[in-house]
Amino acid sequence: METGLWSILICLSLSFSINTEALTKHPILTRIRRAPEAGAEPKKCSYTFLVPEQKITGPICAARGYSTDKDRVTRLDVAAVRDLLSKQRREMETLKLVVDVDGNLVNEMKLLRKESRNMNSRVTQLYMQLLHEIIRKRDNSLELAQLETRILNATTESLRLSSRYRELEAKYAALSAIVNNQSVIIGALEERCMQVYSRKQEPPLMGPPMVQVVPENIPVNVPRFTNEIQRDNTRAFGRERGSRSGPSPTSGTLEAQETPHRNFSAEGPFRDCLQAQEAGHSTSGMYVIKPDEAERPLQVWCEQGIDNGGWTVIQSRRDGSVNFFRNWDNYKSGFGNIDGEYWLGLEGIYLLGKQLDYKLLVELEDWMGKKVYAQYNSFHLEPESEGYRLRLGAYQGNAGDSLTSHNAKQFTTLDRDKDAFSGNCAHFHKGGWWYNACGQTNLNGVWYNGGVYRSKFQDGIFWADYGGGFYSMKGVRMMIRPID
């Protein structure tokens, strides 16, 4: 600003004039006046001025020729210009401070805007979370309502089933009474038949001798003899005496059964369950085996969970769901359900035992849940031409030895009598077995519910050395495995 002001005062001419009157009045200047010489032409006055040196800091404005007073630059003008410059400088400093302050405000405003955007983003995020939480709670409320509806439906169904159970219980009681009456009628008919045979002067029909071995402690907390109908309180409703389900004695064989859908291995066929175990199958279940000379493969249950596994189950009884009172052909080929009650078949058992040296394990379970066993260190059958004669080794176990008395006996069914009794043991004991006359065990007999049963003949699933002849086992399994 100062430079621009001084530039205005610069003149194009380099000459300048000095106000002599002003200079004469200056206190520092010395005026020297000379007298005119005699006879000389009067001369003009000449003045010599001594001006103190001053440091020129700005442009000097000089004008050519005459200049008026109004065009002169005075000290006042310079002072005024300086005051103006100072004022403008102060204003510029003030403006600079204002600009600095405004810049800081602008930066703060930018930061505030940035924080505002971040806050808006956070608020939006919180809003979405809140919205999701509300939706989730609403869904939970819907699920809770659905669960309450299910509970109500289940309660209703439970009440309906309870009512149905009471109805079935009443029907069962009525059926039990009917069966008891029928047992009385059957006894009367048997006596009448005996009278008829007596009139014809034929020897009366006599049953086989009863099992004389009676253990000191029967493995149930019930009287020695009970009614013919036993009821298991742990079940919804029990089975009747001698009740059997499943095919008739002349129905299809084991190979014709429908393939089960659980615990089944499609690999194989194996020679036996020990070979299946050696192939890496350590889970008990259904497997396909094919003995060396068998014409077709067989389905069996392999027990891999006891005594190091590798046991091939050849007989299983557990709930009376399969009828074991069958003819020779059925016992030869096999019958039942692999994952339930079944008989592998005499021919299959014979071919299995022919491959290697096998041992036999008989597992018995009473109605108190206790399990005992009888093991024989060798086992095999002779061919059909020999009536599938039983060959056993030495006994060991905690169930008692009730099978050795059947050793070297042929197999007997209701239509093929091979026992040593004058009558047919299969007829009296209601099953097929290696009967003697008739024997100390009957593992293919009638499955009686509750253990102790009452019958004219000992036709239950009994093991004489454990429970006696009138105690029917809850579960039985016969298993074979190659000798180690």
Side-chain angles (χ1 to χ4, degrees), residues 23-35:
L23 293 175
T24 56
K25 293 179 180 181
H26 198 281
I28 302 176
L29 299 178
T30 304
R31 184 177 62 182
I32 301 175
R33 179 178 296 180
R34 295 177 182 181

Side-chain angles (χ1 to χ4, degrees), residues 191-210:
E191 292 180 359
R192 188 172 179 180
C193 289
M194 295 294 290
Q195 293 175 1
V196 172
Y197 284 123
S198 297
R199 291 174 186 176
K200 294 182 179 180
Q201 297 182 353
E202 293 180 359
L205 181 62
M206 299 297 293
M210 298 296 179

Side-chain angles (χ1 to χ4, degrees), residues 19-218:
N19 189 352
T20 58
E21 185 177 358
L23 293 175
T24 56
K25 293 179 180 181
H26 198 281
I28 302 176
L29 299 178
T30 304
R31 184 177 62 182
I32 301 175
R33 179 178 296 180
R34 295 177 182 181
E37 294 179 359
E41 186 179 345
K43 297 181 179 180
K44 297 179 180 181
C45 293
S46 60
Y47 298 92
T48 301
F49 299 95
L50 297 177
V51 182
E53 291 186 6
Q54 293 183 357
K55 186 177 179 180
I56 300 175
T57 60
I60 299 176
C61 180
R64 292 181 180 179
Y66 179 77
S67 61
T68 60
D69 292 338
K70 64 180 181 179
D71 295 329
R72 294 179 182 177
V73 177
T74 65
R75 289 184 178 183
L76 295 175
D77 294 333
V78 173
V81 170
R82 287 181 176 176
D83 291 339
L84 180 62
L85 290 175
S86 299
K87 182 178 180 181
Q88 290 179 351
R89 188 179 295 108
R90 288 193 300 272
E91 289 179 354
M92 288 179 66
E93 292 176 354
T94 302
L95 289 175
K96 185 176 180 181
L97 293 174
V98 171
V99 168
D100 292 339
V101 172
D102 290 344
N104 293 332
L105 291 176
V106 169
N107 292 332
E108 291 180 359
M109 184 62 68
K110 289 181 179 179
L111 292 175
L112 289 175
R113 286 181 179 177
K114 185 176 181 179
E115 291 180 358
S116 176
R117 287 193 297 269
N118 294 336
M119 187 63 68
N120 290 336
S121 176
R122 179 60 179 166
V123 169
T124 302
Q125 183 180 3
L126 292 175
Y127 173 75
M128 294 301 296
Q129 292 179 356
L130 180 61
L131 184 61
H132 292 162
E133 186 69 18
I134 293 173
I135 294 174
R136 188 180 65 82
K137 288 185 176 180
R138 185 186 65 182
D139 294 339
N140 290 339
S141 299
L142 293 176
E143 291 179 358
L144 182 60
Q146 293 176 357
L147 183 59
E148 290 177 351
T149 303
R150 288 182 182 177
I151 292 174
L152 291 176
N153 293 337
T155 304
T156 304
E157 184 67 17
S158 177
L159 293 174
R160 188 185 68 80
L161 291 175
S162 177
S163 176
R164 179 62 177 165
Y165 168 72
R166 286 192 294 270
E167 293 177 0
L168 292 173
E169 193 175 32
K171 290 182 179 179
Y172 170 75
L175 290 173
S176 298
I178 292 173
V179 171
N180 285 329
N181 294 333
Q182 288 178 349
S183 298
V184 174
I185 294 173
I186 290 172
L189 290 174
E190 287 178 351
E191 292 180 359
R192 188 172 179 180
C193 289
M194 295 294 290
Q195 293 175 1
V196 172
Y197 284 123
S198 297
R199 291 174 186 176
K200 294 182 179 180
Q201 297 182 353
E202 293 180 359
L205 181 62
M206 299 297 293
M210 298 296 179
V211 173
Q212 300 300 320
V213 179
V214 179
E216 295 180 359
N217 297 320
I218 298 175

Side-chain angles (χ1 to χ4, degrees), residues 380-401:
H380 71 274
L381 300 183
E382 294 184 359
E384 185 179 10
S385 60
E386 294 295 325
Y388 295 112
R389 193 183 305 273
L390 176 64
R391 296 297 181 181
L392 287 176
Y395 158 82
Q396 66 176 4
N398 59 357
D401 184 10

Side-chain angles (χ1 to χ4, degrees), residues 423-439:
N424 188 333
C425 291
H427 173 73
F428 292 102
H429 289 293
K430 304 298 187 295
W433 195 247
W434 296 277
Y435 292 113
N436 188 348
C438 284

